Amino acid sequence: MADESFQDKTEPATPKKKEDARKKGQVARSKELSSIAVLTAGVIYLYFSAKGLTFNLAEFIRETFSRIPSLCASDHKMLSLFIESVERFLYLILPIMIVLSVVALLANYLQTGIIWSVDPLTPKASKINPLSGLKRMVSKRSFVELAKSIFKILIVGWAAFSTLKSEFIHIMPLMQQEQIQIISLLADISFKVTVKCCWVIAILAILDYIYQKWEFTENLKMTKQEVKDENKQTEGDPLVKSRIRSIQREMARRRMMEEVPKADVVITNPTHLAVALRYDSKEKMSAPIIVAKGANKVAERIRNVAEAHHIPLVENKPLAQNLYKLDLGEEVPPQFYQAVAEILAYVYGLKKDR
């Protein structure tokens, strides 16, 4: 048998393996998808609020600088102005910060759900080991990430260049335009470039997420031996489980044999099957119940116990075969009432004769 370490990982990850990986913070997640979500949210927010934000920011800068000359003589007033300026600036950018934060959290939540894990933050010697770091730098994953980054730069650069190229005819006359017209046109071109880049990055992000899911699934695959070992850990050794089931069956047989002396009659096949019935009108039974049943050796043990306790044995092959199909403790079905009643009447008659 080949050594376990050389086996191919051909088996899909088990639910336990996936859960263990999740507890360690290992999930399929695309950073590109989160980045494009934040970028798109920022562009949309600025599209609708850029005018008001620009006006408020300009007014804030103008007012702040206009107050500086009158405050130069007092350090206390300068400090108050600084604190006030910081507060007003934070007030201006707070809405967009909240929006971007919510979008970033939502983008990650939709990819991975809620994960509580401190394992990625746990200090590990391998993280500061130069050899481990060098190995990560020259690993297959590093080359894939490098190729992805280069490809992304090329694609995004092409998208930006193609947009600027189409707008070049409008850029040349800018030298003869007013400042407000230049700013307006540049803002419009910048917005077009940003939107086109967002579309391109969004497509790349979706492809990256699909790749991350595939790579994560491949990395979690297990060898056949690993699956067997995990089954042993979670469900127990098959030999031990077989022994436990054997002991449980033996205990069930003992309990069943203890009920045979309480039976009223044992119906036989005559040698292959034996079914013990008990009926007690004082317990308000609606029908006789099966207290023991068995085939072959178990049937022989039931007959021996019945004979030792003077329980009548009645041969009735069809009835024994039908009752044997029922479960222990189950009542005799109505279709067998007449046959069973005749047998019990015969048994009660024998008891009276004694």
Side-chain angles (χ1 to χ4, degrees):
M1 181 178 178
D3 190 86
E4 174 183 332
S5 59
F6 293 101
Q7 292 184 18
D8 293 330
K9 294 187 175 184
T10 57
E11 305 303 310
T14 60
K16 182 179 183 301
K17 181 72 176 290
K18 293 178 181 179
E19 184 63 25
D20 290 343
R22 187 175 182 83
K23 288 179 180 178
K24 295 178 182 178
Q26 299 173 1
V27 291
R29 184 175 70 89
S30 173
K31 297 179 181 178
E32 305 294 340
L33 208 57
S34 301
S35 299
I36 187 58
V38 172
L39 179 60
T40 303
V43 171
I44 294 174
Y45 181 87
L46 291 176
Y47 178 79
F48 290 102
S49 62
K51 185 174 181 181
L53 183 62
T54 304
F55 176 80
N56 291 331
L57 187 60
E59 185 67 22
F60 159 68
I61 295 174
R62 186 183 303 110
E63 181 181 345
T64 301
F65 279 90
S66 65
R67 292 172 59 187
I68 290 177
S70 62
L71 302 174
C72 289
S74 174
D75 293 338
H76 176 71
K77 291 183 178 180
M78 285 293 293
L79 180 61
S80 299
L81 176 62
F82 174 76
I83 295 174
E84 182 183 345
S85 300
V86 171
E87 290 177 349
R88 289 189 60 184
F89 180 74
L90 291 176
Y91 177 78
L92 289 174
I93 66 172
L94 186 61
I96 190 172
M97 289 176 64
I98 294 175
V99 169
L100 297 183
S101 299
V102 171
V103 170
L105 292 174
L106 185 61
N108 282 283
Y109 171 76
L110 293 176
Q111 290 187 74
T112 63
I114 298 177
I115 300 178
W116 300 103
S117 176
V118 297
D119 190 77
L121 304 177
T122 304
K124 296 180 181 178
S126 59
K127 294 181 179 180
I128 58 175
N129 188 340
L131 294 178
S132 299
L134 182 62
K135 186 177 180 180
R136 286 194 296 269
M137 289 177 61
V138 296
S139 64
K140 177 183 175 181
R141 183 178 180 82
S142 298
F143 285 115
V144 171
E145 292 296 328
L146 177 62
K148 282 166 50 181
S149 299
I150 294 174
F151 180 73
K152 183 173 69 173
I153 292 172
L154 292 175
I155 292 296
V156 174
W158 168 82
F161 176 76
S162 62
T163 305
L164 290 174
K165 185 178 179 181
S166 63
E167 296 291 334
F168 188 74
I169 189 174
H170 302 294
I171 296 177
M172 292 302 296
L174 284 180
M175 294 181 291
Q176 301 174 357
Q177 302 294 328
E178 298 292 333
Q179 291 181 353
I180 188 66
Q181 293 176 319
I182 295 174
I183 294 174
S184 177
L185 181 60
L186 290 178
D188 183 60
I189 294 174
S190 298
F191 180 75
K192 290 181 180 179
V193 171
T194 304
V195 170
K196 191 167 185 179
C197 289
C198 283
W199 277 109
V200 172
I201 297 175
I203 295 173
L204 294 177
I206 294 173
L207 295 176
D208 180 65
Y209 179 70
I210 295 172
Y211 170 77
Q212 295 294 342
K213 290 279 288 186
W214 172 83
E215 183 184 42
F216 181 72
T217 303
E218 289 296 310
N219 290 336
L220 282 186
K221 279 188 173 181
M222 308 167 67
T223 64
K224 292 181 178 179
Q225 185 60 41
E226 287 176 336
V227 175
K228 291 180 181 178
D229 293 341
E230 184 179 290
N231 289 334
K232 286 184 179 180
Q233 293 175 359
T234 55
E235 301 178 7
D237 193 309
L239 295 177
V240 176
K241 289 169 61 180
S242 176
R243 177 60 178 163
I244 292 173
R245 285 195 294 266
S246 177
I247 294 173
Q248 290 174 340
R249 286 195 296 268
E250 183 60 30
M251 293 175 64
R253 287 196 195 100
R254 289 179 182 176
R255 288 194 296 268
M256 183 179 70
M257 290 301 172
E258 291 173 356
E259 295 294 323
V260 174
K262 303 175 185 178
D264 294 305
V265 65
V266 174
I267 302 173
T268 64
N269 194 24
T271 57
H272 297 300
L273 299 175
V275 180
L277 300 179
R278 184 171 70 89
Y279 180 72
D280 190 344
S281 58
K282 296 179 181 180
E283 296 182 9
K284 296 182 180 179
M285 290 184 178
S286 58
I289 62 172
I290 299 171
V291 295
K293 68 174 186 174
N296 300 323
K297 291 184 178 181
V298 178
E300 183 179 354
R301 290 177 61 186
I302 292 175
R303 291 197 304 271
N304 293 338
V305 173
E307 290 175 352
H309 291 80
H310 307 291
I311 306 298
L313 302 176
V314 177
E315 181 181 338
N316 189 323
K317 294 181 181 179
L319 184 59
Q321 291 172 353
N322 285 305
L323 295 181
Y324 181 76
K325 298 176 183 178
L326 304 176
D327 296 327
L328 289 175
E330 189 173 349
E331 293 184 347
V332 173
Q335 61 265 34
F336 304 124
Y337 279 178
Q338 183 175 352
V340 173
E342 292 175 356
I343 292 174
L344 289 176
Y346 167 73
V347 170
Y348 294 153
L350 291 177
K351 290 181 178 180
K352 288 181 180 179
D353 293 340
R354 293 176 185 173

